[in-house]
Amino acid sequence: MKHGKKYVDSVKQIDKAKLYDTDEALALCTKMASAKFDETVEVHVKLGVDGRHADQQVRGAIVLPHGTGKSVRVLAICKGANVDLAKEAGADFVGAEDMTQKIQQEGWMDFDVLITTPDMMGLVGRLGKILGPRGLMPNPKAGTVTPDIAKAVQEAKAGKIEYRLDKTNIIHCPIGKVSFGPEKLQENFDTLMNAVVRAKPAAAKGQYIRTCVVASTMGPGVRINPAKLG
């Protein structure tokens, strides 16, 4: 793979043999960002678990103290009094059968998060084949299936993110924008990593956090010392 000049210049600033402290890594990550847009900073954490086993799954959701810097479009599928509660909380789209039909029949997907109440899961469940592959299927563990729809909508708009293992036992999560600066990114990073450490399965053996890398959208990855992350 051939990289551009800016990327190559950025790589030269990284000591490939070094495992950085978090503050150093984030400072370097923001310094190297050179795109014309406000790049997203992501964390990639490889865990010493086997996600194929139910007792070794790592999944949850947290609200980052400084949000993600991204405008989140929220769809709330609910009925009755919850409709007004969802609207007041800031949901961009609210409905029930009309919304599920729009997704099924028109292929409408102009939202980033779908939140629903437990009584509506029979309706939303029919969208599994459409929402599942896109990572948009509501889930109680992620707080997107809840009786308190107003709180869930507010948290989603404030920058709530879900963390979960992919097929290679790696968690990929955004922790903000380069424009946040190292200090705010550090607070978001700490919030995410504390949640991941707390979610350690009892069945996990050996070293839990194997590797941790931070990188901006167009920049190279900077390796963080996993021994200092719990």
Side-chain angles (χ1 to χ4, degrees), residues 163-211:
Y163 59 87
R164 61 187 299 184
L165 294 173
D166 68 7
K167 291 179 181 178
T168 58
N169 301 312
I170 297 175
I171 288 173
H172 310 271
C173 273
I175 56 165
K177 299 286 187 179
V178 166
S179 61
F180 283 19
E183 289 184 11
K184 288 183 178 180
L185 289 171
Q186 175 84 56
E187 289 180 31
N188 280 357
F189 176 90
D190 290 344
T191 300
L192 170 64
M193 291 310 301
N194 287 341
V196 171
V197 169
R198 285 196 305 271
K200 180 181 179 179
K205 306 295 182 186
Q207 186 179 348
Y208 180 51
I209 298 175
R210 297 284 176 85
T211 62

Side-chain angles (χ1 to χ4, degrees), residues 139-154:
N139 183 288
K141 287 185 178 179
T144 45
V145 179
T146 172
D148 192 347
I149 200 156
K151 182 183 177 184
V153 170
Q154 287 170 349

